[in-house]
Amino acid sequence: MKKLLTGNEAIARGAWEAGVVVCTAYPGTPSTEITENAAKYDEMYAEWSPNEKVALEVGLGAAIAGGRALVSMKHVGVNVAADPLFTLSYTGVNGGLVLVSADDPGMHSSQNEQDNRHFGRAAKIPVLEPANSQEAKVFTKLAFDISEMFDTPVMLRTTTRVAHSQSLVELADRKEKGIKEYQKNPSKYVMIPANARHRHVVVEDRLIKLKDYAESTDLNRVEWNDTKIGVITSGVTYQYVKEVLPEVSILKLGMTFPLPQKMIMDFANKVDQLYIVEELEPFIEEYVRSWGLDVHGKDTFPLIGELLPETIAAKIMQTLGDCSPRETTEPDQLQYEIPPRPPVLCPGCPHRGLFYVLNKLKVTVAGDIGCYTLGCLAPLKAIDTTICMGASIGTAMGMEKARGKDFARNLVAVIGDSTFIHSGITALVDVVYNKATTTTIILDNRITAMTGHQHNPTTGFTVKGEPTKEIDLVLLAKAVGVERVRAVDPFKLDELEKIIKEELAAEEPSVIITQRICALIDKSKNNPYRISTEACTGCLRCLKLGCPCIAKEGKEVRINLAQCVGCGLCATVCPSEAIKKEGGAND
């Protein structure tokens, strides 16, 4: 039976068919749906881990114990998981372990567009790259076989287009693999230097065997056509090349580390001009050039962002001196022009009140990764830095250590509840231990909102929706040594401002927890608000909230009643009381 699946759904299906027993992840676009779908299969244990390092550690524990394990994360998550990953390459596995790295060319939802094939090369583990949903499922299953065949973790590298695009997938039954026998083996699994030196030799021997495998596996194949142009490609760019250049010969690489050198050399010798079409880094190209082959790569195609089919066709034609336009199918024209939709905090977002106050107080704000990063945009413009998950607290502390305590009197770190659990706790420990006075604001909206409302250790539910222990952030902050911990509703602006001023003035670490549920999961019904044109003085203070419901039309400011969720924050900031709730008095 065939079914239309996204790449992420197909990976989850492939894991189930492969007999996987443990699936772990920290949510991150474009990988999140893998674990959400894996959790639907009763035969597999699934979890949202506190961060990617823990996810991989749980996965490797399951694999060493003899079960097959799937660990999923977005590309920057591999940075977090790199420590156990590199040593796992030395220890090897028992049951198969597949690490999904979902890269994000074009940075649709990421802070960088690193190419994680480099991680595969650095860790000396095989890297597979599917080009569509069917391959995503098949490659997942094969990755587990390779993992157990060569005693190694395997990276399945996808990109956003493969992860989120749909194509038909042939379904199969689950094959139970059972749990392999576990035997205590310190020389393999205890990486003290004496054992690690021995295991490094094993890794190098394994890499030689993987190179031989790359030459013979069906993952890599040649599709012969006209030999005037030969293209080496992988992943979603294979689909683009097939679409716009159907007449060329193609070497499709499903395994991009290690590369099949003999196969590539043979292909190159049989075509007149050789092109390498790959998104982001010249990963394949650098190898091919090192073998002395003449090739067009990043001298022709852009290094930055996603490749488009039209770009691939145009660039190759330019190198051939053919600048005539190629026939393409024009997309259906829309009847109306679609207005631009820049990212913005949602109507009723609980973070809006906090950033309004921080902007008003003109404090320096070390920000973090989450929906709330949008607080950097106009008109709120409240955030000074955003680096990576969990960096806000350490960044603020570093600023304080460099510029002194007086600077800290006007400095805060802001971090979401899920991000604080991910990697903010240790930085808060550093603040306490090394005598900083940082004021940390934890934005507790009761969910991991940025990636689509996944549960986390503060919500009281697992990925399967089962009730579990709920981490108390107030008690947690006190437990690491912060004595000044205060909770506040971020829509109570006067109280919030008063607390922030008090904690900034305190010469000791403090934590403020803003507590209000995400507006998208708050099901309470509130009447929208309306602006009285007679009472409005035109001060435009309500526009400083950056609420997408409020707009200036001519000389008047209006609220879009269809969008307004009735949070009332605009009425709170209105000095002339011109904003009233529809059908009743303001709360």
Side-chain angles (χ1 to χ4, degrees), residues 20-26 45-73 81 84-85 88 93 95-98:
V20 166
V21 294
V22 171
C23 298
T24 64
Y26 182 82
Y45 167 80
E47 72 166 43
W48 292 129
S49 307
N51 62 34
E52 294 86 352
K53 179 175 182 287
V54 175
L56 182 55
E57 290 161 348
V58 173
L60 73 85
I64 290 172
R68 286 188 163 186
L70 179 76
V71 183
S72 307
M73 57 195 68
L85 175 63
L88 180 61
V93 296
L97 186 141
V98 174

Side-chain angles (χ1 to χ4, degrees), residues 446-467:
R446 316 306 302 157
I447 204 71
T448 307
M450 173 178 60
T451 48
H453 292 158
Q454 288 73 38
H455 287 294
N456 64 61
T458 71
T459 68
F461 293 92
T462 71
V463 67
K464 289 180 179 279
E466 300 163 343

Side-chain angles (χ1 to χ4, degrees), residues 331-526:
D332 294 337
Q333 296 299 312
L334 297 174
Q335 185 176 0
Y336 303 102
E337 184 179 353
I338 299 176
R341 297 176 60 192
V344 64
L345 294 173
C346 300
C349 176
H351 308 323
R352 180 170 284 108
L354 171 65
F355 289 122
Y356 175 82
V357 172
L358 292 177
N359 180 294
K360 178 182 176 183
L361 297 177
K362 303 302 178 190
V363 298
T364 300
V365 178
D368 223 296
I369 302 290
C371 302
Y372 50 90
T373 312
L374 295 172
C376 71
L377 301 177
L380 296 167
K381 296 193 291 187
I383 295 178
D384 291 69
T385 66
T386 297
I387 307 299
C388 67
M389 291 284 289
S392 58
I393 301 173
T395 301
M397 178 178 167
M399 288 179 167
E400 176 183 343
K401 292 299 183 183
R403 302 186 67 88
K405 290 186 177 180
D406 286 345
F407 188 79
R409 300 287 70 77
N410 198 42
L411 167 69
V412 299
V414 297
I415 185 168
D417 47 2
S418 181
T419 312
F420 178 69
I421 295 293
H422 178 282
S423 48
I425 298 172
T426 47
L428 186 61
V429 170
D430 195 31
V431 167
V432 174
Y433 173 60
N434 284 305
K435 302 179 180 180
T437 64
T438 308
T439 297
T440 299
I441 303 176
I442 302 175
L443 290 65
D444 182 6
N445 63 353
R446 316 306 302 157
I447 204 71
T448 307
M450 173 178 60
T451 48
H453 292 158
Q454 288 73 38
H455 287 294
N456 64 61
T458 71
T459 68
F461 293 92
T462 71
V463 67
K464 289 180 179 279
E466 300 163 343
T468 186
K469 287 285 186 180
E470 178 180 327
I471 299 293
D472 187 318
L473 292 173
V474 173
L475 294 180
L476 179 59
K478 290 183 177 178
V480 302
V482 179
E483 296 183 2
R484 299 180 67 94
V485 182
R486 305 174 74 174
V488 61
D489 182 344
F491 275 13
K492 295 182 177 178
L493 299 183
D494 291 341
E495 182 182 359
L496 175 63
E497 181 175 337
K498 176 175 178 291
I499 288 175
I500 291 175
K501 287 180 176 177
E502 290 174 353
E503 298 312 319
L504 285 173
E507 291 202 7
E508 62 178 293
S510 60
V511 169
I512 301 169
I513 303 174
T514 58
Q515 297 176 328
R516 180 172 273 255
I517 192 170
C518 173
L520 296 182
I521 56 176
D522 182 2
K523 302 302 182 185
S524 59
K525 300 292 184 182
N526 292 310

Side-chain angles (χ1 to χ4, degrees), residues 109-425:
S109 183
S110 303
Q111 64 268 42
N112 71 36
E113 53 181 352
Q114 68 191 49
D115 187 333
N116 275 4
R117 292 177 296 181
H118 290 297
F119 264 117
R121 173 166 57 185
K124 301 188 177 182
I125 62 174
V127 178
L128 310 188
E129 288 195 67
N132 57 31
S133 297
Q134 174 67 25
E135 286 193 352
K137 195 204 80 165
V138 172
F139 283 21
T140 299
K141 297 172 70 174
L142 185 56
F144 282 104
D145 293 339
I146 295 172
S147 176
E148 293 177 355
M149 189 186 314
F150 293 95
D151 192 13
T152 177
V154 175
M155 176 179 285
L156 184 75
R157 188 234 185 193
T158 67
T159 56
T160 306
R161 298 298 175 185
V162 173
H164 290 164
S165 297
Q166 289 183 315
S167 60
L168 285 174
V169 176
E170 182 73 42
L171 304 183
D173 295 331
R174 176 178 169 89
K175 289 188 177 180
E176 294 291 351
K177 294 292 182 179
I179 305 298
K180 298 176 73 172
E181 181 182 2
Y182 169 73
Q183 292 183 334
K184 186 171 183 175
N185 188 352
S187 65
K188 185 172 188 290
Y189 295 120
V190 180
M191 285 302 96
I192 58 175
N195 293 336
R197 294 186 192 105
H198 164 71
R199 292 302 301 179
H200 192 180
V201 175
V202 173
V203 170
E204 299 303 327
D205 288 343
R206 181 182 73 203
L207 191 56
I208 293 172
K209 295 173 183 174
L210 284 166
K211 289 178 179 176
D212 291 339
Y213 178 81
E215 299 286 354
S216 59
T217 176
D218 292 338
L219 287 164
N220 304 322
R221 67 171 187 266
V222 175
E223 299 176 4
W224 289 115
N225 281 301
D226 191 328
T227 57
K228 291 180 180 176
I229 296 176
V231 176
I232 301 175
T233 187
S234 64
V236 73
T237 53
Y238 162 76
Q239 306 287 7
Y240 299 162
V241 173
K242 290 282 287 183
E243 178 180 340
V244 298
L245 298 169
E247 70 276 13
V248 305
S249 293
I250 298 175
L251 171 51
K252 179 187 182 300
L253 297 174
M255 186 174 186
T256 49
F257 186 81
L259 288 169
Q261 183 176 357
K262 293 178 182 176
M263 179 182 285
I264 291 174
M265 297 283 283
D266 181 66
F267 180 76
N269 289 333
K270 293 178 180 176
V271 298
D272 295 340
Q273 291 205 49
L274 182 61
Y275 294 84
I276 296 178
V277 181
E278 55 186 333
E279 288 182 321
L280 302 182
E281 299 293 321
F283 183 83
I284 301 171
E285 180 185 344
E286 288 180 352
Y287 276 101
V288 172
R289 287 190 183 280
S290 73
W291 299 332
L293 295 176
D294 185 21
V295 61
H296 290 292
K298 293 304 174 185
D299 61 337
T300 303
F301 307 104
L303 179 76
I304 298 171
E306 291 185 295
L307 288 178
L308 298 175
E310 299 80 8
T311 304
I312 294 170
K315 293 292 184 182
I316 288 182
M317 291 303 107
Q318 284 178 14
T319 63
L320 296 175
D322 180 358
C323 297
S324 59
R326 297 181 61 81
E327 292 185 6
T328 56
T329 303
E330 290 293 332
D332 294 337
Q333 296 299 312
L334 297 174
Q335 185 176 0
Y336 303 102
E337 184 179 353
I338 299 176
R341 297 176 60 192
V344 64
L345 294 173
C346 300
C349 176
H351 308 323
R352 180 170 284 108
L354 171 65
F355 289 122
Y356 175 82
V357 172
L358 292 177
N359 180 294
K360 178 182 176 183
L361 297 177
K362 303 302 178 190
V363 298
T364 300
V365 178
D368 223 296
I369 302 290
C371 302
Y372 50 90
T373 312
L374 295 172
C376 71
L377 301 177
L380 296 167
K381 296 193 291 187
I383 295 178
D384 291 69
T385 66
T386 297
I387 307 299
C388 67
M389 291 284 289
S392 58
I393 301 173
T395 301
M397 178 178 167
M399 288 179 167
E400 176 183 343
K401 292 299 183 183
R403 302 186 67 88
K405 290 186 177 180
D406 286 345
F407 188 79
R409 300 287 70 77
N410 198 42
L411 167 69
V412 299
V414 297
I415 185 168
D417 47 2
S418 181
T419 312
F420 178 69
I421 295 293
H422 178 282
S423 48
I425 298 172

